[in-house]
Amino acid sequence: MSAPVVILVEPQLAENIGMTARAMANFGLSELRLVAPKNGWPKKGVREAASGATHVLDRAKVFATLAEAVGDLHGLLATTARERGQMKRVFAPEEAMTATADRIGRGERVGLMFGRERVGLSNDEVSLADAIVTFPVTEEFPSLNLAQAVLLMGYEWRRAAGLATLRFSGELLSPPATREALLSLFASLEETLAGAGFYPPEKREIIARNMRDMLHRMAMTEQDVRTFRGALRALHRRGPKTDEA
Amino acid sequence: MSAPVVILVEPQLAENIGMTARAMANFGLSELRLVAPKNGWPKKGVREAASGATHVLDRAKVFATLAEAVGDLHGLLATTARERGQMKRVFAPEEAMTATADRIGRGERVGLMFGRERVGLSNDEVSLADAIVTFPVTEEFPSLNLAQAVLLMGYEWRRAAGLATLRFSGELLSPPATREALLSLFASLEETLAGAGFYPPEKREIIARNMRDMLHRMAMTEQDVRTFRGALRALHRRGPKTDEA
């Protein structure tokens, strides 16, 4: 599946462009376009900031104007933190990327525009877009770093495209314990504790039930039961006896 | 509503700690704990990297050990990019923050642990957590920057806590046009175009219907209709006449 194109308009800092490339690589975006980068291109330090995502930087294309940078695209979204008074739809990143995944699925090419570090996109630049994307940040501190904004869009793109699988799961390495193994463990534990004089006789039943509840909450595996049994055997053989000697 | 505590274990770079503070402020997290920051604290350049989120840095607490840093918490999540062979639940950020919002809603305090820039958390550190969080990054480039990982967790926290409102909406500044206004506009347009000789007579009906479809897709507002009518009047008065003169 193709992915959205990231367009940075007059980006200034090597650090931000490098971190943008890294964030893109994290979520499977690979096409970076730079419109009139301030103080030239390539920039010193940009490869270090990309932290290995140099394939994105090496393929990055530089354009003199935004119109040239977006000419071959079918869809274009403008990211902005400020209201523009333009009669455009405003999306959260998730909605925007759901719509973008639909368009890309139909074979369209979609670009995501990000503005200058300090002043963002101009109103004229925003007016080239189909819709606006803004981020659900706090009123008190709404200023997102450029590469952070790219990261969130990449993250939501990957989710919307159905590609957001985790690299490993919490699948248990041992099968869950059977009820028989649990009941047998409970019996051993209660016997050991009774032998150590833990239960006041009139409360044995209720305390035992409470401990079974605690143990059930652990959702033990076969391996857990073996480990627990081994600890009980060790206590039975040595621990309490040494204390009592 | 309270929010999760962010715990950075032996962070090294001022840039990353500052950007972490900024990302936290973007999404309403304010409690930052630093465990044995490498090369001391405070660090030169950290305030600049925070880009104004100095309230988070000013309140940051430094701890000598992880055990001290997490002592008062009820829940603890470990973020990691690597499988650990530990029998822990593994969550994506969204699931993890949904569960965290539940716990915080019940009055519990929950911490999110992030490891060192190069090597992450040790297995012993991960073993202190209730569960693992990992990010749906690509196999080819899974290495997330520290502050980027914090940002994604903050973003998902804000969504899970029901606080992720956008700062402005795309609400139309003008009400939608009535069907009457649209039909009247279509009639004017068709009359103007017919007057200009645009329609081959036998195709007038079908071309007019296609144009009405295009115009319907614009979902025009009252203001849009006024603007369009003004443009038609101008063309009627001057444009075509000048060309023909």
Side-chain angles (χ1 to χ4, degrees), chain B residues 72-94:
Chain B
D72 63 324
L73 304 177
H74 306 98
L76 188 59
L77 296 170
T79 57
T80 169
R82 286 185 290 122
E83 184 153 21
R84 302 304 184 120
Q86 295 188 17
M87 295 222 239
K88 272 189 204 307
R89 288 163 300 164
V90 174
F91 290 126
E94 182 178 24

Side-chain angles (χ1 to χ4, degrees), chain B residues 218-230:
Chain B
M218 294 167 69
M220 277 188 272
T221 64
E222 288 180 2
Q223 178 59 53
D224 293 337
V225 170
R226 283 194 294 273
T227 302
F228 206 125
R229 278 194 165 286

